[in-house]
Amino acid sequence: MIRYTNLVRSFGATRALNGLNLEVRTGEIFGLLGPNGAGKSTLINLTAGLLSPDEGEVSIGGNPAGPGGGSRSMLGVAPQALALYDELTAEENLRFFGGLYHLAGRDLSGRVDWTLDFAGLADRRKDRVKTFSGGMKRRLNLAVALIHDPETILLDEPTVGVDPQSRNAIFDSIEKLHRGGRTIVYTTHYMEEAERLCDRVGIIDHGKLLALGTVEDLVGEYGGRSAVVVQTGGRETRIPTDDPVAEMIRLKQERRVRGLRLESPTLESVFLNLTGRHLRD
Amino acid sequence: MREIITLARKDLLLLLRDKAGFFFTFFFPLMMAVFFGTIFSGGGDGSRRMSILVVDEDSTEASVKFTEKLGGSEALKVERSGREDAAEMVRLGKRVAYVAVRKGFGEASANMFMGGTPTVELGVDPSRSAEAGMLEGILMQYGGERMQELFSNPALMRQSLSGALDSLTAPGTADFPEKQKITRFLGELKLFASDTGVRSADSGGFPGLTPLRVEKAAVIREETGPRNAYEVSFPQGIVWGMIGCAAAFGISLVMERTRGTLVRLRIAPLSRSQILAGKALACFVVTVLISVALLLVAWLLFGVIPGSVGKLAAAVLSISVAFVGIMMLLSVLGKTERSAGGIGWAALLVMSMIGGGMVPLFIMPGWMQTVSDFSPVKWSIIALEGALWRNFSLVEMMLPCGILLGVGILAFSLGVRAFRWTE
């Protein structure tokens, strides 16, 4: 479990986190949604021990985050920027980072084999990273985070700039980790990713947690009403409703419609309703 | 320590993979050392000697002996030629000068006290006037040696005096005011030479007639100059290797930050000091390897033999410590790789310029030699030369080595303190 208690962190006059309280449960995939500058990366950096809070605390499995807290070996981090050595091969990168976590000999070789298989890069293990595609680098970036078999994994926008095939491969990998009982914190701009992967989602903006729950709960509570979109001639009319089926039947009977479309509330509408702006603004 | 070694091993592997970096770290300094050593030593084939042509128009025993002496000179590369060809070669700039031994040289040489003076003609390329002065000096030296030989050899002297007296007293010789005095003087001189016997100057014959005897004193410190130019160029090459290494590792530390790998290192169970120590260890190992590699090449191929291996090891280790510290300081000079690289190289080039890494210190004006005290390059070269050929004592080695260790520790401390851990 990761626990954030009354977390405050400022950068000069800007308060990136403003009294945030949150618990990420063991074994869940927790989605952290928010626009740029919302405080997601600050939260990730505090969890990884790269920053210290001005106030409050972060604990991972009961240990304080950061140097000397004993939490670093429990934590795997795939940073948003690809943090790899281009001139080394995939295997050399994994061996190097594994060595920093005190892995050696057969243990290290076993973990290197496992992570390469996991990332689908076993056949490219001897190739230098600079020859990899963007998607392959992303998968290796994730593999490096897993080399020491951590219990908790922080994935900071792990699908940025990858092709659909690699994105699906990354989703499959994350679901495998989830099934293996790992706790995963996942930050993203993409609602569909959060909807597909996350057990619970936290919506963060201006350093505060605005809402927390499952996707269904959040959509039900903050998504607003469904809407029926009516096409008549060259025009489209959006009609919000609590009973879309009845509304569609009524419209079909009353008007000459060329088409009807149902718009259900999504995380995007949740975010719009909570913050007044779109997630990718 | 295991983590530090893991970090250092990674950096060494990265250096090996970076072909350009590897070249500039290891081979460029070697090329510089060999290149400048070859230039200053003349390549060991005598190409620094002045090329002249000799024309012997007299073809007497004396003229042959004189031209042989010129040919044996260490400063000259002598070829024989005809007069016209010699003048043409000099005119075309293909030779520095020609020396023509004119007819009558042998006769004049035999009659030292009477008759004409032995004469040579010197034709010099007008654009090489500096060498002309040197060549004149060499010719005068050999002329002087010939006179000295005459005065030192009683038999030759008697022969020459007899010839002169015969000329003076021969029937039909014109009278002139001092004829009687000169005849009397030469007669007395001949008598003196006969009394002295046949002993030569070397056996104590005419000690008073030897113009100057130069005796070499066994002053060890002056005797132990550089045995060849490579003993000067290889210390400079080693320092250039160190400079390249400091720049490369300083920039690589900035790259760790800008490319995000520093984040991974900081997330790993490592302390900040371990991360920097890993980089420092890799830099230290490479600087020592550069030094050892260059010194081995210098020893095996160019005959550079250290005066003291222990002192040389102390010099190399001190220089390595200094440049590891400088590497750390360079890594905080710029935010990006480009700015760190630009500022770093500029700083290192200035250090090298004022420290004698490019131009030897003795050529610089006095004020610049004082300024050079602030350059670790100067102390590095002094430390290496002290161990290689200056025959420094342990106490004398302590000054450059101590300064280098101090520079290293101070620069490393400042660099660690100012290092930016985040973008």
Side-chain angles (χ1 to χ4, degrees):
Chain A
M1 180 195 287
I2 309 173
R3 178 173 287 150
Y4 304 93
T5 311
N6 296 321
L7 213 51
V8 175
R9 183 64 160 88
S10 298
F11 297 97
T14 307
R15 185 160 276 202
L17 290 175
N18 192 4
L20 185 135
N21 287 289
L22 175 66
E23 276 185 14
V24 177
R25 296 170 190 157
T26 303
E28 75 173 338
I29 301 181
F30 183 84
L32 203 55
L33 283 181
N36 286 331
K40 300 189 306 285
S41 291
T42 305
L43 195 65
I44 292 286
N45 286 342
L46 284 163
T47 315
L50 296 171
L51 292 173
S52 301
D54 297 334
E55 292 174 35
E57 60 181 21
V58 183
S59 67
I60 303 165
N63 298 306
S71 63
R72 288 190 166 183
S73 297
M74 301 162 62
L75 201 63
V77 183
Q80 188 176 337
L82 293 166
L84 301 165
Y85 295 102
D86 278 352
E87 289 296 334
L88 300 185
T89 65
E91 181 176 344
E92 285 165 347
N93 268 282
L94 289 164
R95 283 193 172 277
F96 166 64
F97 285 110
L100 298 182
Y101 287 88
H102 312 297
L103 290 172
R106 275 191 206 167
D107 290 344
L108 179 58
S109 297
R111 287 303 301 168
V112 168
D113 292 343
W114 186 88
T115 47
L116 284 169
D117 276 340
F118 180 82
L121 294 169
D123 57 335
R124 301 292 303 269
R125 63 190 299 154
K126 298 288 184 193
D127 293 340
R128 293 194 196 174
V129 172
K130 68 178 179 184
T131 65
F132 285 10
S133 68
M136 291 164 74
K137 286 181 181 176
R138 277 276 160 218
R139 277 144 56 197
L140 183 61
N141 200 41
L142 174 60
V144 171
L146 305 175
I147 186 69
H148 57 295
D149 197 14
E151 293 166 18
T152 303
I153 301 154
L154 307 181
L155 305 177
D156 194 2
E157 311 243 7
T159 59
V160 168
V162 303
D163 57 279
Q165 194 182 347
S166 286
R167 179 175 292 194
N168 283 329
I170 290 170
F171 289 165
D172 290 344
S173 305
I174 292 167
E175 282 166 345
K176 253 189 250 178
L177 291 169
H178 185 218
R179 286 195 295 276
R182 303 290 183 277
T183 304
I184 297 165
V185 177
Y186 189 100
T187 76
T188 183
H189 276 100
Y190 304 111
M191 291 163 303
E192 59 274 25
E193 291 185 5
E195 284 170 344
R196 172 176 167 175
L197 293 171
C198 297
D199 297 313
R200 289 195 307 149
V201 170
I203 293 177
I204 185 172
D205 196 21
H206 298 301
K208 285 193 168 179
L209 188 66
L210 302 180
L212 176 67
T214 63
V215 174
E216 292 78 17
D217 290 346
L218 291 176
V219 170
E221 192 168 348
Y222 304 105
R225 294 195 292 172
S226 299
V228 175
V229 180
V230 189
Q231 290 176 320
T232 52
R235 294 172 55 198
E236 276 194 358
T237 310
R238 193 171 181 278
I239 303 169
T241 174
D242 290 328
D243 188 351
V245 176
E247 184 64 23
M248 287 171 94
I249 292 168
R250 187 184 65 75
L251 285 167
K252 192 75 181 169
Q253 288 170 347
E254 287 179 4
R255 294 190 194 184
R256 287 182 180 177
V257 294
R258 290 185 64 187
L260 287 170
R261 193 173 77 245
L262 176 64
E263 277 189 357
S264 300
T266 61
L267 274 178
E268 177 70 43
S269 42
V270 171
F271 194 83
L272 188 62
N273 289 333
L274 283 169
T275 66
R277 53 190 176 136
H278 289 279
L279 190 56
R280 289 176 208 179
D281 283 351
Chain B
M1 191 62 196
R2 194 169 135 186
E3 291 86 352
I4 294 171
I5 292 170
T6 303
L7 286 160
R9 203 167 50 205
K10 175 262 298 176
D11 279 314
L12 296 176
L13 193 55
L14 284 171
L15 180 66
L16 279 175
R17 293 281 161 81
D18 178 8
K19 289 188 178 68
F22 190 75
F23 173 81
F24 279 105
T25 308
F26 278 90
F27 290 101
F28 187 65
L30 179 61
M31 282 169 57
M32 284 192 69
V34 173
F35 178 71
F36 284 111
T38 304
I39 283 179
F40 291 124
S41 66
D45 63 351
S47 58
R48 253 182 87 222
R49 295 191 294 170
M50 198 189 311
S51 283
I52 65 164
L53 294 164
V54 167
V55 182
D56 187 355
E57 295 176 334
D58 192 44
S59 298
T60 57
E61 190 186 339
S63 69
V64 169
K65 207 170 176 183
F66 181 75
T67 55
E68 278 174 357
K69 274 204 165 185
L70 288 178
S73 168
E74 286 183 1
L76 301 176
K77 186 178 176 188
V78 173
E79 289 170 274
R80 291 180 182 279
S81 174
R83 174 184 277 275
E84 281 182 17
D85 287 346
E88 185 66 3
M89 293 282 267
V90 173
R91 189 183 70 78
L92 294 173
K94 293 182 177 174
R95 295 290 183 278
V96 177
Y98 73 86
V99 176
V101 182
R102 284 184 178 168
K103 266 200 175 311
F105 180 91
E107 191 185 340
S109 297
N111 295 309
M112 175 64 70
F113 303 101
M114 199 65 196
T117 307
T119 306
V120 296
E121 178 186 311
L122 179 62
V124 184
D125 181 344
S127 67
R128 310 287 289 271
S129 53
E131 282 107 323
M134 183 180 157
L135 184 55
E136 256 181 90
I138 293 170
L139 293 174
M140 289 305 289
Q141 177 196 337
Y142 290 140
E145 280 179 13
R146 193 186 57 77
M147 281 185 74
Q148 183 185 338
E149 187 186 355
L150 189 70
F151 275 104
S152 308
N153 188 325
L156 273 178
M157 193 173 173
R158 278 199 306 274
Q159 191 184 337
S160 183
L161 286 166
S162 296
L165 285 168
D166 289 348
S167 298
L168 280 168
T169 55
T173 308
D175 280 336
F176 53 90
E178 305 295 332
K179 185 175 177 180
Q180 278 191 333
K181 285 181 184 173
I182 291 174
T183 307
R184 196 166 60 244
F185 169 70
L186 293 179
E188 290 293 326
L189 193 57
K190 188 179 174 189
L191 194 63
F192 172 72
S194 303
D195 286 348
T196 310
V198 292
R199 289 176 297 161
S200 68
D202 290 342
S203 57
F206 281 87
L209 293 177
T210 303
L212 179 70
R213 181 188 292 276
V214 178
E215 291 183 350
K216 289 187 180 173
V219 181
I220 292 169
R221 300 302 289 270
E222 269 69 31
E223 290 276 308
T224 55
R227 284 163 291 245
N228 60 46
Y230 297 105
E231 291 194 331
V232 176
S233 67
F234 266 85
Q236 285 182 316
I238 289 169
V239 173
W240 272 106
M242 301 272 182
I243 285 173
C245 188
F249 277 90
I251 294 166
S252 82
L253 203 41
V254 178
M255 278 170 64
E256 297 265 17
R257 185 176 63 230
T258 57
R259 299 194 180 179
T261 45
L262 188 61
V263 167
R264 273 211 198 281
L265 300 182
R266 290 178 59 204
I267 291 166
L270 299 168
S271 66
R272 288 182 175 194
S273 53
Q274 279 177 313
I275 294 171
L276 296 180
K279 191 66 78 178
L281 178 62
C283 184
F284 183 81
V285 167
V286 174
T287 53
V288 171
L289 284 177
I290 291 169
S291 306
V292 171
L294 261 71
L295 287 167
L296 276 176
V297 171
W299 173 47
L300 294 172
L301 301 181
F302 300 100
V304 176
I305 300 163
S308 160
V309 174
K311 288 173 194 164
L312 189 59
V316 166
L317 294 177
S318 307
I319 299 167
S320 295
V321 168
F323 278 89
V324 167
I326 289 166
M327 175 277 294
M328 192 64 232
L329 200 55
L330 291 180
S331 72
V332 302
L333 292 180
K335 281 186 178 176
T336 63
E337 294 152 42
R338 187 174 292 184
S339 62
I343 298 168
W345 270 109
L348 289 167
L349 286 176
V350 170
M351 267 186 216
S352 183
M353 267 192 294
I354 64 171
M358 293 180 182
V359 180
L361 285 168
F362 65 84
I363 291 176
M364 295 179 180
W367 65 269
M368 198 174 245
Q369 291 189 28
T370 308
V371 171
S372 71
D373 285 348
F374 294 96
S375 171
V377 170
K378 172 184 177 170
W379 299 108
S380 302
I381 290 174
I382 287 177
L384 286 168
E385 289 183 348
L388 280 173
W389 56 266
R390 284 186 190 276
N391 200 18
F392 274 12
S393 67
L394 269 177
V395 175
E396 286 168 324
M397 283 298 289
M398 280 170 72
L399 178 67
C401 290
I403 288 173
L404 289 166
L405 289 173
V407 165
I409 292 165
L410 182 68
F412 194 81
S413 308
L414 290 174
V416 168
R417 193 175 278 262
F419 188 70
R420 279 186 287 270
W421 288 93
T422 53
E423 282 275 30

